[in-house]
Amino acid sequence: MPVQDFEQLFQQKIDAEVKIEPKDWMPDAYRKTNIRQISQHAHSEIVGMLPEGNWITRAPSLKRKAILLAKVQDEAGHGLYLYSAAETLGMSRDEMINDLHSGKAKYSSIFNYPTLTWADIGAIGWLVDGAAIMNQVMLCRTSYGPYARAMVRICKEESFHQRQGFESLLVLSKGTPEQKAMCQDAINRWWWPALMMFGPKDSESTNSDQSMKWKIKRKSNDELRQNFVDMIAEQVKVLGMTLPDPALKWNEERKHYDFGEINWEEFWNVVKGNGPCNKQRLEARRKAHENGRWVREAAMAHAAKLAERRKQEAA
Amino acid sequence: MNLLIRKFYYGDIPEEKGGGSYYQTEQDTTTWPLWEVFIRSKQGLDHKHVGSLHAADAQMAIENARDVYTRRMEGVSIWVVESKHITASNPEEAGELYEPAADKVYRHPTFYQLPDEVNYM
Ligand SMILES: [Fe+2]
Ligand SMILES: [Fe+2]
């Protein structure tokens, strides 16, 4: 059968909402796009542990420490679900890790911002996990089976992340004047980077059309971003705080909030590696990997020795 | 190995704005094998495939599976099997493979028209 026919059959399956599974025929570009997106997503979960990990030892109470530890552990799990989903497409874990460490692979730019105060941890849960959830809920219906299944698992765990963040900010918002100020300051610093998480505007986004046709993505960047703004603009009222955007205003005609222009220069700068923490994050990952090398090797040697001993005992 | 890395921007970030950098790579001498994980979510149900993970041996695979896949009491029993031991049917041969069942409607209870009196059968 000529390739065009395969491609047509493939598109028919996609149109009929039949999931694509690892051994099924798929166009090369579909495989590549999925590897790229899923591994990028996995890297984001892993690197995303760093800014929050920064506060585990300094959380203000045992309760908050336990919660933060559980959340960060979930993110490690998310990274692992996603790496294994990407591996089903034929890229090895080593290659993916290597691409992250060489700077070839990207992770979400949001994790290149620093966590300066305790309130940042609440703001991350509420805004960063909140933005991630918008994207992830959509991805539960993505066309590649292993990716969709990983996303279903992840979504089940994510809602705790957003709720604990909001609750933690709620406590601060009812606290001392200093705590209130810290809460507002964290919101001010995280709001715009969170909006940038949805990527460039639709008009600037070159890969979107094909991804939509293949149902890898099912909503555009601008659509998701608008949904997020609408949700947060309401929730911030409960905190008695404000979002740092003078242009934010309910538009009765559109039934959506209007909002101001993102600083795209900053966006591209952080993507290109010039954000406040890009270097630090990558170095932390490389160091962890390199320092863990002897552990990986020792575990393999130990496993081989045990297997050998068992063989001798059986003989 | 000293590689020139061209940066690729993922997701919806256009690629043409890429830069480049050098990074010294070092290959791991050992890679932990891949294991498939199956979990029984509660007594009385089947083990169900939940995903995969890397581990040096079976014992470590079970311990890792506990941490990765059962953080919220999702399981009461775990099976692991090295991925290389799984043989899968070929989706391209699905037509021939399942064809024998396609014309045997009499295997289904609905094939039999019975009088109303015994229709609960
Ligand atoms: Fe996550
Ligand atoms: Fe999360």
Side-chain angles (χ1 to χ4, degrees):
Chain A
M1 213 170 11
V3 177
Q4 298 94 292
D5 293 356
F6 276 118
E7 265 173 23
Q8 224 173 41
L9 279 176
F10 177 82
Q11 191 60 50
Q12 279 166 15
K13 273 168 88 176
I14 300 267
D15 293 342
E17 300 289 336
V18 176
K19 295 275 186 243
I20 307 302
E21 294 296 341
K23 294 191 114 208
D24 295 346
W25 186 92
M26 62 187 86
D28 251 9
Y30 178 85
R31 183 184 301 276
K32 276 195 196 132
T33 306
N34 264 297
I35 288 180
R36 206 172 60 181
Q37 189 174 321
I38 302 170
S39 62
Q40 176 201 14
H41 198 157
H43 298 326
S44 300
E45 303 282 353
I46 297 298
V47 177
M49 289 192 282
L50 297 172
E52 290 182 292
N54 185 32
W55 280 89
I56 290 175
T57 54
R58 291 182 281 157
S61 67
L62 187 59
K63 176 184 125 183
R64 293 290 168 193
K65 198 173 293 208
I67 292 171
L68 185 56
L69 201 53
K71 179 190 188 283
V72 172
Q73 199 187 9
D74 274 355
E75 306 301 4
H78 298 174
L80 294 177
Y81 307 156
L82 288 162
Y83 280 132
S84 66
E87 277 174 284
T88 63
L89 288 160
M91 190 181 207
S92 77
R93 179 82 55 107
D94 285 348
E95 279 176 276
M96 287 187 263
I97 303 281
N98 206 48
D99 279 357
L100 172 68
H101 294 177
S102 73
K104 180 180 171 189
K106 292 279 135 214
Y107 54 87
S108 182
S109 279
I110 192 81
F111 303 117
N112 290 320
Y113 289 86
T115 40
L116 303 178
T117 71
W118 168 248
D120 287 15
I121 298 307
I124 287 182
W126 177 42
L127 298 174
V128 176
D129 288 78
I133 290 168
M134 311 264 10
N135 203 31
Q136 287 166 340
V137 166
M138 162 189 85
L139 288 171
C140 289
R141 292 164 56 238
T142 192
S143 58
Y144 186 57
Y147 192 20
R149 292 192 286 276
M151 287 325 304
V152 169
R153 266 180 175 286
I154 288 176
C155 282
K156 274 190 207 151
E157 300 179 352
E158 280 296 345
S159 83
F160 136 62
H161 298 179
Q162 197 186 13
R163 291 172 69 100
Q164 64 83 31
F166 190 84
E167 192 226 29
S168 155
L169 290 185
L170 196 60
V171 171
L172 292 176
S173 75
K174 291 178 181 153
T176 64
E178 288 83 358
Q179 285 172 324
K180 285 182 188 167
M182 186 165 81
C183 179
Q184 183 63 61
D185 167 67
I187 295 171
N188 291 350
R189 280 181 293 105
W190 288 94
W191 172 246
W192 291 106
L195 283 192
M196 293 178 199
M197 285 174 72
F198 298 97
K201 282 193 203 179
D202 293 348
S203 51
E204 293 254 337
S205 173
T206 49
N207 302 328
S208 265
D209 284 354
Q210 188 60 62
S211 285
M212 296 280 254
K213 199 173 151 224
W214 279 335
K215 297 187 181 165
I216 297 174
K217 238 179 116 91
R218 314 191 64 131
K219 281 181 175 183
S220 78
N221 296 357
D222 287 341
E223 235 179 311
L224 289 168
R225 185 162 24 233
Q226 181 71 61
N227 292 346
F228 179 69
V229 172
D230 292 346
M231 174 177 85
I232 300 296
E234 288 302 318
Q235 292 172 352
V236 75
K237 295 177 187 167
V238 181
L239 291 176
M241 299 279 147
T242 56
L243 297 175
D245 180 1
L248 187 81
K249 195 166 172 263
W250 177 251
N251 182 325
E252 186 55 38
E253 212 170 291
R254 292 199 310 126
K255 299 280 175 216
H256 286 295
Y257 275 91
D258 291 335
F259 56 99
E261 188 67 25
I262 288 170
N263 180 347
W264 293 110
E265 204 183 306
E266 175 183 328
F267 172 80
W268 286 113
N269 253 324
V270 182
V271 168
K272 279 187 200 165
N274 305 322
C277 300
N278 293 54
K279 263 193 77 180
Q280 191 186 330
R281 301 288 184 242
L282 264 192
E283 263 158 28
R285 285 314 312 153
R286 287 176 191 158
K287 203 172 120 208
H289 192 68
E290 272 150 32
N291 290 348
R293 185 185 312 275
W294 72 270
V295 179
R296 294 191 293 279
E297 288 173 354
M300 277 310 277
H302 179 68
K305 207 167 142 190
L306 273 185
E308 188 56 37
R309 191 181 303 159
R310 248 178 246 126
K311 224 175 12 183
Q312 273 171 11
E313 278 168 9
Chain B
M1 213 177 0
N2 203 22
L3 299 170
L4 170 67
I5 304 295
R6 189 169 121 56
K7 283 188 182 162
F8 295 95
Y9 293 107
Y10 286 151
D12 290 293
I13 303 164
E15 297 189 2
E16 62 269 24
K17 303 205 182 180
S21 67
Y22 287 91
Y23 172 62
Q24 200 70 29
T25 65
E26 198 186 325
Q27 216 55 50
D28 260 22
T29 48
T30 48
T31 301
W32 290 352
L34 189 66
W35 301 75
E36 299 302 321
V37 180
F38 301 82
I39 289 181
R40 185 200 295 288
S41 58
K42 71 180 216 221
Q43 217 60 20
L45 295 181
D46 294 321
H47 284 78
K48 199 175 147 217
H49 184 245
V50 293
S52 54
L53 49 75
H54 289 267
D57 61 14
Q59 192 52 43
M60 187 198 260
I62 285 183
E63 281 156 19
N64 288 358
R66 190 247 348 243
D67 292 342
V68 178
Y69 293 106
T70 65
R71 285 192 303 283
R72 290 177 177 77
M73 326 240 308
E74 289 98 335
V76 294
S77 162
I78 300 174
W79 286 351
V80 291
V81 58
E82 229 185 299
S83 309
K84 67 176 184 198
H85 296 311
I86 290 187
T87 309
S89 62
N90 184 348
E92 269 145 51
E93 289 160 9
E96 302 96 281
L97 192 60
Y98 304 113
E99 192 272 296
D103 59 355
K104 296 179 179 60
V105 280
Y106 46 83
R107 283 180 170 164
H108 297 274
T110 45
F111 178 75
Y112 303 92
Q113 293 296 320
L114 299 183
D116 281 352
E117 295 92 310
V118 287
N119 219 5
Y120 56 85
M121 190 185 283

